Amino acid sequence: MVVQAQSNSDVFQRVWELYAAGRGPEILEHLDPGVEWRPALVDPAPYHGHAGVRTWAVAASRAWKSVTVVLEEISEVDGCVVASGRIAAFDHGGDQVVDSVITCVAEFHRARIVRACSFFSADDALAWVSARPALP
């Protein structure tokens, strides 16, 4: 039996599905241990490594009771996966606090995400892809 390696787009789509399903701990299996994580929502700042992603996830769970993410488009651009969709989030009081388009970019090394950033526009995401520093 031949096992085919997953493409970067396949890995990204799996991470997106895990996030949408609220299965955060499983996402770490697809992230490099030294990942750079830059969210656009909830404490937007650079987070580093699995511990940093966990820190951000705790902040997100404190801010939001529920989150819905819908993937609308995915493509590969200059070695990165660029995915666009919509995100909606509700706070613990039941009020909708986020309803936005979102574009996420993931850069890979050996089938693991080494950089992940999100943006409120596809143009900003593509500008980041063009201007990003080379991986070490």
Side-chain angles (χ1 to χ4, degrees):
M1 179 165 107
V2 175
V3 176
Q4 186 175 7
Q6 289 187 312
S7 72
N8 291 344
S9 291
D10 291 339
V11 172
F12 182 89
Q13 193 157 1
R14 179 67 181 146
V15 169
W16 187 286
E17 290 166 358
L18 289 168
Y19 180 77
R23 294 168 51 190
E26 291 176 61
I27 291 172
L28 297 177
E29 297 172 17
H30 303 286
L31 305 181
D32 184 83
V35 67
E36 178 183 328
W37 187 266
R38 293 179 176 263
L41 296 163
V42 182
D43 293 338
Y47 294 87
H48 298 279
H50 289 182
V53 173
R54 284 187 197 101
T55 297
W56 175 81
V58 167
S61 68
R62 285 185 185 140
W64 301 332
K65 180 178 182 178
S66 67
V67 179
T68 302
V69 290
V70 177
L71 180 63
E72 295 174 350
E73 184 178 340
I74 189 168
S75 60
E76 294 200 31
V77 178
D78 193 20
C80 294
V81 172
V82 179
S84 299
R86 289 204 65 83
I87 183 167
F90 293 82
D91 67 15
H92 292 277
D95 294 325
Q96 186 169 19
V97 293
V98 176
D99 181 15
S100 178
V101 297
I102 193 161
T103 300
C104 301
V105 177
E107 189 171 14
F108 289 79
H109 180 69
R110 296 184 180 177
R112 290 187 183 256
I113 297 172
V114 294
R115 288 186 189 140
C117 302
S118 58
F119 304 89
F120 294 113
S121 80
D123 288 342
D124 289 346
L126 293 172
W128 181 89
V129 168
S130 295
R132 76 191 189 280
L135 288 172

